[in-house]
Amino acid sequence: MDILLAVGTAQASQWMNAVVHVLPHARVRAWTSGDKAHADYVLFWKCDAAALVPRDGLKAIFNLGAGVDALIPLLRTASCDAPVYRLEDAGMAQQMADYARYGVLHHMRRFEDYRRQAAACEWRALNALHRRAMPVGVMGLGRLGEHVARTLTADGFIVRGYSRSKKHIEGVETFARNDGIDRFLDGLHVLIDLLPATEDTRNILNMRTFARLADGACLINLARGMHVNEDDLLEALDTGKLGFAMLDVFAHEPLLTAHPFWRHPRVMVTPHISAATLIDESARQVAEKIAALEEGRTVTGLVDMQRGY
Ligand code: NAP
Ligand code: GLV
């Protein structure tokens, strides 16, 4: 079996070692410019569209991340119509839950206000929020969002969830897109974004969305920067409609030095680290899926090109 590894990041050699380890009987090669030779499977992340050219014998492409928004336009450029599978959790869900929980607790215990008070040496106890009186909303109830919603529910928070199709998650009040988004948003104290980046979700975090939240609410964006209308977010923070934003993802990454988010007193920026891809765990998942495909078994994580995720 021929595996073509097309990884355009500094982790390329780590990926090579991990893939050779989990697929010891395969011939694994790294993509180099001009390679159009046979491959059964292409494993792709942040590489050149030329690696995606239609190939003799190509059975599937594996996206070595959860989001396929960067891959889809490259597939079009390369006129590639092979099935695409993406990573499902592979250790990312727990990291997302850790990040989300940190943000929710930060908001509940008013640490942002205490940080400001401390800067002025002000010793003053504030009224804490109560976890049962500060509903938290999770947008996107897929592999990552569902885990975050379950974790926060187990922590005793009142959790709502929003997805395209209707979900049933014990303890979580769920809303489907067709129900409209307003009832999901109304009065939320924390809004956590774990939607995929598609044309339907572009700019979904805008002034109309923020207006429905509780005053002083907290936004945690763990998904993609294209979801945010940045001018609206800055205005909502400046007027106090939003009290705090934890932003891990941006429309343009890395975030430019001049970007106002870096210096905004109510924004915390992290550099797209809320859920790192765990290479060994992810390589194992890909190997298991390849084995299943080879045996004709059904494999989850197939990307629906029409929906865009
Ligand atoms: P997923 O399993 O595909 O889940 C996506 C969820 O969003 C599903 O519940 C889906 O609804 C819902 N959805 C899609 N379009 C919608 C719409 N227009 N309105 C309402 N709901 C919609 O994806 P995942 O594995 O959980 O990953 C989610 C995203 O996290 C990725 O796409 C990626 O952008 C981001 N991510 C970020 C990092 C990071 O480090 N910052 C790391 C990994 C992933 P249905 O269930 O009904 O289909
Ligand atoms: C990272 O952002 C991913 O989509 O896996």
Side-chain angles (χ1 to χ4, degrees):
M1 180 195 300
D2 287 304
I3 306 284
L4 179 64
L5 185 62
V7 174
T9 68
Q11 279 94 38
S13 63
Q14 271 173 273
W15 272 108
M16 178 57 82
N17 293 340
V19 171
V20 167
H21 182 71
V22 292
L23 291 166
H25 304 299
R27 285 179 298 273
V28 187
R29 68 181 193 275
W31 180 77
T32 50
S33 176
D35 180 341
K36 296 181 180 167
H38 167 276
D40 295 275
Y41 299 99
V42 174
L43 280 45
F44 187 93
W45 187 244
K46 294 189 178 169
C47 199
D48 201 297
L52 299 168
V53 288
R55 290 169 191 275
D56 185 29
L58 183 62
K59 296 171 190 162
I61 294 180
F62 284 88
N63 180 61
L64 301 178
V68 289
D69 45 302
L71 174 64
I72 288 178
L74 301 182
L75 292 167
R76 292 203 187 102
T77 305
S79 306
C80 177
D81 61 1
V84 175
Y85 295 87
R86 66 186 190 86
L87 288 183
E88 295 176 286
D89 181 357
M92 286 185 267
Q94 187 177 38
Q95 297 176 66
M96 285 299 187
D98 288 343
Y99 192 118
R101 189 188 239 159
Y102 175 93
V104 171
L105 293 175
H106 188 90
H107 187 67
M108 180 179 84
R109 297 303 306 268
R110 304 192 59 176
F111 288 135
E112 206 43 37
D113 296 320
Y114 286 120
R115 201 167 56 84
R116 261 190 299 278
Q117 284 190 186
C121 304
E122 184 182 353
W123 179 280
R124 183 162 62 95
L126 302 169
N127 290 333
L129 289 167
H130 192 279
R131 69 208 313 119
R132 305 297 289 175
M134 47 163 287
V136 176
V138 182
M139 303 176 90
L141 294 173
R143 300 304 288 234
L144 305 181
E146 175 174 345
H147 185 71
V148 168
R150 285 187 189 278
T151 302
L152 293 171
T153 303
D155 281 347
F157 290 97
I158 301 287
V159 180
R160 295 182 207 155
Y162 178 70
S163 53
R164 184 170 159 129
S165 56
K166 182 73 179 167
K167 304 279 179 222
H168 299 281
I169 305 173
E170 200 178 335
V172 178
E173 190 183 4
T174 57
F175 298 80
R177 183 167 161 244
N178 284 348
D179 302 336
I181 196 170
D182 292 355
R183 282 198 305 125
F184 161 73
L185 293 171
D186 277 341
L188 288 176
H189 283 243
V190 182
L191 179 61
I192 301 171
D193 176 19
L194 271 166
L195 289 167
T198 66
E199 279 317 306
D200 280 348
T201 60
R202 184 180 294 284
N203 273 325
I204 193 165
L205 300 174
N206 57 42
M207 193 54 87
R208 191 185 170 282
T209 308
F210 304 141
R212 301 207 77 97
L213 307 179
D215 289 341
C218 168
L219 171 70
I220 304 179
N221 188 5
L222 308 178
R224 286 293 185 262
M226 62 89 92
H227 294 160
V228 179
N229 181 315
E230 293 190 351
D231 290 340
D232 285 3
L233 175 55
L234 287 167
E235 188 183 333
L237 288 162
D238 289 340
T239 58
K241 179 63 213 177
L242 288 181
F244 186 48
M246 283 178 82
L247 306 176
D248 184 51
V249 284
F250 303 90
H252 300 286
E253 297 181 1
L255 191 62
L256 292 176
T257 310
H259 200 290
F261 286 157
W262 281 117
R263 277 164 286 275
H264 199 288
R266 292 177 183 273
V267 175
M268 177 172 152
V269 169
T270 53
H272 201 137
I273 48 72
S274 51
T277 304
L278 305 181
I279 295 179
D280 291 340
E281 202 156 336
S282 304
R284 260 197 309 279
Q285 182 178 107
V286 170
E288 279 161 17
K289 289 187 179 187
I290 287 177
L293 287 171
E294 290 292 308
E295 289 163 17
R297 288 187 276 125
T298 307
V299 172
T300 59
L302 180 65
V303 175
D304 180 330
M305 291 296 158
Q306 290 305 111
R307 291 185 326 192
Y309 69 97

